[in-house]
Amino acid sequence: MGNNQSEREYEEKRLRQTITLAEEQLKKAKETAEKKKSEIVEAKKEVRENTTHSITNLYSSDGFEALVELSQYVNPVTDKIVDYEEEKHKIFLLENMIKSPYFARIDFKFDDEEEFEKIYIGRSSLRKTNCQEMYVYDWRSPVASVFYRFMKGEAFYDAPCGRITGRLNLKRQYEIKNGMLEYFFDADVQIVDEFLRQMLSQNTTAQMKAIIETIQQEQDVVIRDMENDLLMVQGVAGSGKTSIALHRAAYLMYQGLQTKLSSHNIMIISPNSLFEQYISNVLPELGEDNVVSVVFDDILNTIIKGRDIQPKNKFLENIISHSQYKQIRKDSIEFKTSKLFLETLDRFLCDIPEQWIEFDDVYYEGVCVAGKQALKDKILGRKETPLGIKLEQLKDYVLELISGSGKGRGHKAERNLVKQELQKYMKIDVVELYKILFTKEAYFYSLLQDSKPVEHIKEIWEYTKENLETGCLYYDDAIAIAYLYLKIYGTNEYKNIKQVVIDEAQDYYPLQYELFRLLFPNAKFTILGDMKQTLAKKEDVSFYGQIQKILNKKKSSLIMLDKSFRCTNEILNFSLKFMEQSPQIKSFNRNGDSPEVFVADNSDALIDKIAEEVKSCREKGLRSIGLICKTESNSIRLFNKINHKLDIQLIRNGSTSELQGVFIIPVYMSKGLEFDAVLICDADSQNYHDEDDKNLLYVACTRALHKLGLFCEKEVSPLI
């Protein structure tokens, strides 16, 4: 990209000035860090030398004074460590700034000023010491939004003091590597699109990368939204939903000074641990600490402790496999996560103290201090208080009655016996409670009351009864049990979480959103999904209305992203054939090879064709090649047949491998990921033939950036 010579000289001079300033601040930051490090060492030494007496006497009569004295020495050490960590973070930012200080510049004239101001935009800010002059503005600063949202002409941005208006005269982008200016260009729509097209034509990386140079206007709106308590994003495959979510998290942390939000206040709920690994580098690359990240399995295991719970991926494996149990598995989870079953569970919760806790008269020294009916009456009152809290209060109530009798002192052994008796119904086994619903059939049907008959309800009941006898909690039952537990006991596990990001939102069920509401009552939510990529069920855009109703936030919004940046035109158009109604997806208009379908006569010929295509992809310079199979069992079979021909890795449930080279992966684990080339290796009529399979093929095809091939033995899928 050619540049005017005088302009280039100016830009190179400005770059040298910026790097020099960053180097000066880096030198000072390193000196300060070393000084703080020495202060920490000295402070720790002082603690050891001056508090020995205090520490050895903490449990004496002077213990409280010893603790006070100890804290007087320890607290300054803690403060110094915090200061040191902040200085180290500053060093990290400055070292990165020296390599590439900024990526853009805008010339913006504020309405009340005469001259255009040159505003440089980078990953972090750089201010000239002891003055207000900004050399580089952080990409998250209010004024930087002008770069993302406007071309030349009238422009504005929203600042804390209100809307600022002005005129944009120049948008310039830079490629700076290792402190050297490689090129720059002045952007208009055509040039910006060409730059983005070149960026998208590159190979993907083993981990997701930051996209601050190429954030689009509609993406920036999502990233900077501070108005909504619930922000829902329906984005087509390749629209950048996950990248937007992570950049939004970075933006929220940047705003943290005003909102008191830091990395430990944000939680990302990811579809699986492989996806967690894939996105783990984005926030550190943006100069922020990584946020708390969990998969839904983690949440279930935190609530239902000490139980063997079926992982979500195992549930998906079972439900998309063509077996005799496929339909009953689908019917079971759809019923157990429905509004009807939620109402059933709520009626059951009301019945528990009335019918399913066996209260006894409480005796102390031969005298009945509390009758069982009185105990039950205590529990049945105050409907708004969780049952678990009321049971704990009941124990305190009985022990107070004993103390009030005047006989409480000196009878420790009998008092402990009373505690043991009370403990029988103080601590409820929620799993055993849940089993009541599927052992007492008449009672179960009575809870359904006069609701509309559920198809296959008898089969669902018997299927669940058998499952609960295995000792492993199936995924759908674990969700229901977690709901009961939270309603009975509540939780403070996630009380510090103020912002929750849920990716692949379409694959959760209504009851799971009830769990999110109970787990994060004070949090705001960012929900991202694509109803066309739903696994194991059917959903449409109306599902966001259900989410909105369940989470019940004051202010919510649904934003639609309909432009795909990932696939070439040819791959995207091929993928759309698997949609019942072709959605309004705008392609970014990047051309490539047409997808190919390969049919082999037998298993050996199929393996040879796949190995040949992998070799061809590598010769073309494609680095990440995903061999996608419908299920994990299909993946294992393929791996065992082809691993002697290729250097290849098998991605299985629980894998956290880096996605580089050649690998085999089940389709449900590929959600949210992208590969240079995708080879669908079991695209035959046996694996893909019904309506549910269309979504799986759509998901698999839209993982590909540059190359897509479909392979099958003998008969190709009729869906293709």
Side-chain angles (χ1 to χ4, degrees):
M1 297 185 184
N3 304 136
N4 177 283
Q5 185 61 33
S6 61
E7 281 291 304
R8 184 169 184 92
E9 288 173 1
Y10 172 84
E11 291 294 358
E12 287 184 338
K13 181 180 178 183
R14 178 57 161 71
L15 176 60
R16 287 195 299 274
Q17 289 172 343
T18 305
I19 291 174
T20 299
L21 178 59
E23 286 173 339
E24 290 170 359
Q25 293 190 11
L26 176 62
K27 181 182 177 183
K28 187 175 179 181
K30 285 182 175 179
E31 290 171 355
T32 304
E34 281 303 310
K35 183 180 177 183
K36 290 183 184 297
K37 189 175 180 181
S38 300
E39 289 174 355
I40 291 169
V41 172
E42 286 301 313
K44 285 182 176 179
K45 183 179 178 183
E46 190 175 350
V47 171
R48 286 195 298 271
E49 291 178 353
N50 296 332
T51 61
T52 306
H53 175 75
S54 302
I55 292 170
T56 55
N57 289 282
L58 289 180
Y59 300 102
S60 69
S61 58
D62 298 325
F64 178 75
E65 288 79 5
L67 278 169
V68 171
E69 183 184 346
L70 179 62
S71 68
Q72 288 174 345
Y73 286 99
V74 171
N75 289 343
V77 176
T78 305
D79 292 341
K80 290 178 189 299
I81 291 172
V82 170
D83 290 343
Y84 175 72
E85 291 298 329
E86 287 179 357
E87 211 64 36
K88 290 291 287 182
H89 183 64
K90 186 177 178 182
I91 290 169
F92 170 79
L93 294 178
L94 286 166
E95 286 176 339
N96 283 330
M97 178 161 278
I98 288 167
K99 295 175 189 173
S100 182
Y102 43 80
F103 59 87
R105 162 188 155 190
I106 57 173
D107 288 2
F108 187 75
K109 184 170 75 68
F110 298 88
D111 280 346
D112 57 352
E113 293 184 6
E114 295 295 324
E115 299 292 328
F116 280 90
E117 182 179 339
K118 296 179 178 66
I119 295 169
Y120 287 80
I121 301 167
R123 296 196 171 197
S124 56
S125 60
L126 181 67
R127 185 191 299 272
K128 204 165 186 179
T129 313
N130 301 324
C131 76
Q132 292 301 307
E133 184 181 355
M134 290 291 292
Y135 255 62
V136 181
Y137 285 82
D138 192 295
W139 68 275
R140 296 163 290 185
S141 63
V143 71
S145 67
V146 172
F147 169 74
Y148 295 115
R149 299 194 188 186
F150 294 97
M151 298 307 290
K152 286 183 182 180
E154 300 297 322
F156 65 83
Y157 64 91
D158 292 316
C161 61
R163 179 158 289 185
I164 308 296
T165 57
R167 186 169 187 82
L168 176 63
N169 191 48
L170 178 100
K171 272 180 72 167
R172 180 169 286 178
Q173 286 188 247
Y174 305 87
E175 182 69 17
I176 300 171
K177 289 184 179 178
N178 297 318
M180 301 297 292
L181 177 61
E182 299 203 347
Y183 62 81
F184 64 87
F185 60 88
D186 294 343
D188 59 27
V189 173
Q190 186 176 349
I191 292 176
V192 168
D193 282 358
E194 182 56 37
F195 175 68
L196 180 54
R197 195 171 287 111
Q198 287 187 24
M199 295 282 283
L200 295 172
S201 297
Q202 297 173 5
N203 284 332
T204 188
T205 52
Q207 290 184 304
M208 182 179 282
K209 306 291 284 182
I211 60 165
I212 52 172
E213 296 91 342
T214 57
I215 292 170
Q216 303 296 290
Q217 179 183 8
E218 61 273 20
Q219 296 173 333
D220 190 64
V221 170
V222 177
I223 290 169
R224 293 176 188 265
D225 181 275
M226 296 292 288
E227 298 296 318
N228 291 290
D229 303 312
L230 169 60
L231 182 64
M232 298 173 288
V233 180
Q234 160 61 26
V236 300
S239 58
K241 295 182 295 295
T242 302
S243 288
I244 292 167
L246 295 168
H247 287 70
R248 175 165 170 73
Y251 178 77
L252 292 170
M253 282 186 266
Y254 177 80
Q255 297 292 326
L257 290 175
Q258 289 80 34
T259 59
K260 296 183 179 177
L261 192 78
S262 59
S263 59
H264 72 278
N265 301 130
I266 303 174
M267 174 174 282
I268 294 178
I269 300 176
S270 297
N272 54 57
S273 52
L274 180 69
F275 185 83
E276 278 188 301
Q277 163 69 19
Y278 178 63
I279 67 173
S280 63
N281 200 46
V282 175
L283 285 167
E285 192 181 336
L286 292 171
E288 295 291 352
D289 293 333
N290 241 331
V291 300
V292 182
S293 179
V294 299
V295 298
F296 190 75
D297 294 3
D298 298 332
I299 292 175
L300 287 179
N301 284 299
T302 299
I303 299 170
I304 311 169
K305 293 182 173 67
R307 298 281 184 163
D308 184 16
I309 300 173
Q310 180 190 46
K312 179 183 177 182
N313 281 344
K314 183 65 175 174
F315 157 74
L316 288 172
E317 174 83 9
N318 289 341
I319 211 166
I320 67 175
S321 300
H322 290 298
S323 74
Q324 65 186 92
Y325 299 108
K326 178 177 178 176
Q327 192 58 49
I328 187 63
R329 287 166 178 156
K330 286 185 68 176
D331 292 342
S332 176
I333 193 163
E334 285 178 13
F335 168 67
K336 289 176 194 163
T337 57
S338 68
K339 184 180 178 183
L340 172 59
F341 194 58
L342 173 69
E343 292 168 349
T344 302
L345 292 175
D346 285 339
R347 292 186 196 109
F348 180 50
L349 283 162
C350 292
D351 282 354
I352 289 169
E354 186 73 59
Q355 295 188 47
W356 305 112
I357 299 178
E358 296 182 8
F359 292 101
D360 289 322
D361 296 336
V362 178
Y363 286 86
Y364 183 74
E365 294 190 337
V367 177
C368 178
V369 292
K372 59 184 178 182
Q373 189 58 48
L375 296 179
K376 181 181 286 190
D377 291 342
K378 275 276 183 188
I379 293 298
L380 292 175
R382 295 175 295 127
K383 301 284 187 186
E384 71 284 352
T385 306
L387 177 59
I389 293 174
K390 287 194 285 189
L391 288 171
E392 193 62 37
Q393 291 172 343
L394 189 65
K395 181 181 76 173
D396 296 337
Y397 165 73
V398 172
L399 294 176
E400 282 176 19
L401 288 176
I402 292 172
S403 300
S405 68
K407 301 178 181 180
R409 295 178 182 176
H411 298 78
K412 186 176 180 181
E414 189 163 356
R415 187 182 172 90
N416 286 338
L417 284 174
V418 172
K419 284 184 180 179
Q420 289 175 21
E421 284 296 308
L422 292 171
Q423 200 62 32
K424 288 191 300 186
Y425 45 83
M426 289 301 109
K427 195 66 178 174
I428 295 173
D429 188 328
V430 180
V431 176
E432 292 304 313
L433 261 183
Y434 180 73
K435 287 180 180 179
I436 291 171
L437 295 174
F438 297 97
T439 52
K440 302 187 181 299
E441 191 171 3
Y443 175 66
F444 172 78
Y445 285 112
S446 74
L447 288 175
L448 291 177
Q449 293 183 350
D450 299 324
S451 58
K452 183 181 176 181
V454 179
E455 195 175 3
H456 308 304
I457 190 66
K458 176 72 173 174
E459 292 89 337
I460 293 170
W461 190 88
E462 290 176 347
Y463 169 77
T464 307
K465 184 175 186 291
E466 289 178 16
N467 290 346
L468 290 170
E469 290 169 355
T470 64
C472 173
L473 293 180
Y474 280 44
Y475 186 67
D476 50 358
D477 293 314
I479 294 168
I481 290 166
Y483 176 76
L484 288 176
Y485 188 97
L486 292 178
K487 293 291 282 189
I488 291 171
Y489 289 108
T491 182
N492 288 319
E493 188 75 27
Y494 306 107
K495 63 183 179 181
N496 65 310
I497 300 298
K498 298 177 183 177
Q499 183 76 225
V500 178
V501 177
I502 302 176
D503 208 348
E504 302 294 345
Q506 73 280 354
D507 288 331
Y508 297 99
Y509 291 80
L511 189 57
Q512 289 172 289
Y513 283 98
E514 294 284 354
L515 293 184
F516 296 144
R517 180 180 62 82
L518 294 169
L519 288 166
F520 312 108
N522 302 315
K524 296 182 178 182
F525 287 82
T526 302
I527 307 281
L528 307 107
D530 179 12
M531 295 304 145
K532 301 297 182 183
Q533 296 186 62
T534 307
L535 297 180
K537 58 174 181 156
K538 292 288 184 185
E539 295 292 359
D540 57 33
V541 178
S542 65
F543 187 57
Y544 292 109
Q546 292 186 55
I547 295 172
Q548 183 179 1
K549 192 171 182 180
I550 292 167
L551 296 180
N552 192 28
K553 294 299 177 181
K554 284 183 180 178
K555 195 167 183 183
S556 63
S557 178
L558 172 61
I559 295 177
M560 313 288 279
L561 300 177
D562 59 1
K563 184 180 283 188
S564 177
F565 298 95
R566 179 185 298 138
C567 307
T568 61
N569 288 335
E570 291 78 6
I571 292 172
L572 185 61
N573 290 331
F574 181 86
S575 304
L576 292 178
K577 70 165 65 178
F578 304 116
M579 297 291 94
E580 290 178 20
Q581 292 181 329
S582 185
Q584 296 298 311
I585 298 180
K586 298 175 185 174
S587 168
F588 186 66
N589 198 27
R590 183 170 64 88
N591 295 320
D593 297 335
S594 295
E596 296 179 89
V597 179
F598 301 88
V599 181
D601 294 331
N602 55 57
S603 175
D604 290 340
L606 177 69
I607 296 303
D608 288 341
K609 279 183 178 289
I610 293 170
E612 286 171 17
E613 186 62 19
V614 169
K615 183 181 178 183
S616 173
C617 288
R618 301 193 93 166
E619 287 172 352
K620 291 175 182 176
L622 301 178
R623 288 203 301 242
S624 69
I625 304 168
L627 277 57
I628 297 182
C629 296
K630 183 179 182 182
T631 61
E632 185 178 280
S633 55
N634 285 7
S635 299
I636 293 169
R637 275 196 294 273
L638 176 62
F639 178 77
N640 290 335
K641 289 178 180 179
I642 206 171
N643 69 334
H644 68 284
K645 290 178 175 284
L646 298 170
D647 180 11
I648 195 167
Q649 60 176 318
L650 175 64
I651 305 295
R652 305 181 64 172
N653 184 28
S655 293
T656 55
S657 308
E658 282 204 347
L659 297 172
Q660 54 188 349
V662 187
F663 42 87
I664 301 173
I665 185 170
V667 64
Y668 53 83
M669 287 190 69
S670 73
K671 294 282 288 290
L673 308 178
E674 60 183 29
F675 319 121
D676 293 334
V678 165
L679 311 183
I680 300 173
C681 297
D682 53 0
D684 56 67
S685 57
Q686 185 178 350
N687 282 298
Y688 297 96
H689 61 260
D690 64 22
E691 289 301 309
D692 291 344
D693 295 330
K694 284 185 176 181
N695 274 24
L696 296 174
L697 284 170
Y698 177 71
V699 168
C701 290
T702 53
R703 301 308 95 204
L705 272 77
H706 312 303
K707 181 73 176 175
L708 175 63
L710 297 92
F711 297 77
C712 67
E713 183 181 343
K714 294 182 180 176
E715 187 178 350
V716 70
S717 165
L719 303 177
I720 298 170

